[in-house]
Amino acid sequence: MTTQIEGTKREFIDLRIPMPWGFIVGRWYGNRNVRPILALHGWLDNMGTWNTLIPLLPEHLGILCIDLPGHGLSPKLPRGIVYHAVDYVCVILRIMDEYRWDKVSILAHSMSSMISFIFASLYSDRLDMLISIDIVRTRYRNPSTQISFIHNHIEKYLVEDDRLQLANQMEPPAYTREQLLQIMYEGTERSVSLENCHHILNRNITKSTKYPDKYYFSRDGRVKYYFEFTTSPPFAAELARKIRNVPYCVIKGSQSNFIDEQSDEVIEILKSNNPHFEFHEVEGTHHVHLNNPQEVAAILNPFIHKHRPPMAEDGVVGETMDQENAKARKRKSKL
């Protein structure tokens, strides 16, 4: 199977990755003989967020994109279960276990950049490359704001959980495709350009059975009220100190405020403790990788070639999947 993105063909295979509650869906682009880069999307988005960037990345490495639980075409979690950032950290570990990876390379955006920051601090020995788009730390809230946040999210989650039951009995409101594109454009505060909204929208909607020319949002509404891994500046600073000797590239969108002065301490710690840390700014919004993939790729390609280069003698990158699987089995036998 091949796909056509921005005029460039890149082979892929669609797959399901087993999880304790069922599965998540993935799409593996390119080389399947070596461990790929695991691509993780942002909040309320899906793997379509990488459509314009993937054709521009080095072809010696595959890219495994996933739809996180509740997003895109991945199934929803069972009713009564809340979405939490820690669960998404566990998804990374479960994918590694499924493919018997001893280490993982991650390409992340937004919410997943927060998740990957946590993962890097907890499992730096199992991470060999991290690329974060437009977020570099966990979110901070003062105690009173955090209490209000938790209360409101619980109440709204319960409403959405009840709606999930109703959705099995009646179809949600439907809209024309043009209306949905506009809704998404405004919903991202115009971070995703209107011409690029379809890349994400396509996996978030389902065709109406009542109205032949309309669609409805089919992602899990409960995801809107997922629980973040919220920290304080001292906590985030300590997390950053745990990340050493991990190739770590952060790209900020110039028009975005997701990386601001509150991120300075974490960035300085990463710079001082990690000789492989890079920070770059590229013209664009929070979805800079989707709207301006050429400039993002111009930074990422040298970084990827430096830290996961192709082997000159045979074109194979680092260890083959068989070699990595053998390492993983050996590590497990010691547990």
Side-chain angles (χ1 to χ4, degrees):
M1 183 185 302
T2 61
T3 186
Q4 186 84 18
I5 306 174
E6 296 294 308
T8 302
K9 288 185 178 180
R10 189 139 184 180
E11 293 182 353
F12 67 79
I13 182 169
D14 284 323
L15 42 82
R16 292 182 174 187
I17 304 172
M19 292 285 153
W21 61 87
F23 64 91
I24 59 172
V25 299
R27 177 170 286 180
W28 190 320
Y29 289 90
N31 192 348
R32 300 197 70 208
N33 295 318
V34 297
R35 177 168 49 84
I37 296 172
L38 178 63
L40 306 172
H41 59 78
W43 178 58
L44 300 182
D45 293 347
N46 53 62
M47 71 171 72
T49 196
W50 305 113
N51 281 2
T52 61
L53 180 63
I54 285 175
L56 307 177
L57 296 180
E59 294 191 6
H60 68 274
L61 281 180
I63 310 288
L64 173 56
C65 304
I66 66 165
D67 287 344
L68 287 165
H71 294 75
L73 301 182
S74 283
K76 303 172 178 65
L77 293 181
R79 281 198 65 217
I81 304 299
V82 299
Y83 289 87
H84 197 287
V86 171
D87 296 322
Y88 291 147
V89 172
C90 292
V91 165
I92 299 173
L93 293 169
R94 293 186 188 281
I95 291 172
M96 294 176 69
D97 186 61
E98 173 67 20
Y99 290 105
R100 297 179 177 177
W101 297 340
D102 193 51
K103 291 184 180 289
V104 65
S105 303
I106 296 177
L107 167 63
H109 171 239
S110 193
M111 175 188 73
S112 287
S113 293
M114 294 187 200
I115 293 163
S116 299
F117 175 68
I118 299 164
F119 182 91
S121 67
L122 298 175
Y123 299 98
S124 61
D125 60 325
R126 302 200 65 191
L127 182 66
D128 65 2
M129 186 170 67
L130 174 57
I131 299 165
S132 291
I133 307 295
D134 209 47
I135 279 183
V136 73
R137 58 168 176 82
T138 46
R139 196 188 299 273
Y140 307 151
R141 290 191 182 91
N142 63 49
S144 62
T145 302
Q146 179 65 3
I147 291 170
S148 177
F149 171 85
I150 293 172
H151 177 267
N152 289 336
H153 267 50
I154 289 174
E155 293 298 312
K156 291 177 180 178
Y157 156 76
L158 290 172
V159 171
E160 288 294 337
D161 201 50
D162 290 339
R163 283 180 179 171
L164 197 62
Q165 184 176 22
L166 292 175
N168 295 327
Q169 303 169 7
M170 64 179 67
E171 190 175 277
Y175 306 87
T176 65
R177 186 173 178 80
E178 290 69 27
Q179 287 174 321
L180 287 170
L181 287 168
Q182 193 65 37
I183 289 171
M184 182 181 171
Y185 177 55
E186 299 296 341
T188 65
E189 297 182 348
R190 305 188 178 189
S191 174
V192 181
S193 65
L194 191 57
E195 61 268 26
N196 281 326
C197 282
H198 70 278
H199 290 294
I200 296 174
L201 186 69
N202 288 346
R203 300 181 70 86
N204 274 349
I205 59 175
T206 296
K207 193 172 182 62
S208 171
T209 57
K210 297 168 61 178
Y211 309 102
D213 297 322
K214 292 187 176 182
Y215 304 78
Y216 60 88
F217 283 109
S218 51
R219 69 190 178 204
D220 194 340
R222 297 174 300 171
V223 171
K224 292 183 289 185
Y225 308 110
Y226 96 106
F227 286 84
E228 301 170 331
F229 193 100
T230 307
T231 62
S232 62
F235 192 175
E238 190 60 28
L239 290 171
R241 291 188 187 97
K242 300 292 184 182
I243 306 172
R244 296 174 177 270
N245 298 316
V246 175
Y248 194 163
C249 180
V250 175
I251 295 180
K252 178 190 184 313
S254 63
Q255 301 169 33
S256 170
N257 61 3
F258 280 85
I259 298 178
D260 57 13
E261 62 277 0
Q262 286 190 314
S263 302
D264 289 347
E265 182 182 16
V266 165
I267 292 171
E268 288 306 312
I269 291 170
L270 292 171
K271 283 181 178 178
S272 61
N273 287 355
N274 189 345
H276 307 299
F277 179 78
E278 298 182 15
F279 183 86
H280 303 271
E281 184 169 313
V282 172
E283 176 61 30
T285 65
H286 184 51
H287 287 77
V288 62
H289 61 290
L290 180 59
N291 297 330
N292 191 2
Q294 291 81 6
E295 288 194 40
V296 171
I299 293 169
L300 295 190
N301 289 354
F303 181 81
I304 293 170
H305 274 285
K306 179 180 179 180
H307 297 292
R308 289 200 61 189
M311 293 176 64
E313 62 270 21
D314 57 9
V316 174
V317 184
E319 295 175 330
T320 65
M321 291 287 282
D322 288 340
Q323 289 171 320
E324 290 214 3
N325 289 348
K327 270 192 171 184
R329 287 193 294 270
K330 184 176 180 181
R331 181 176 57 81
K332 280 189 175 182
S333 69
K334 294 179 179 179
L335 296 178

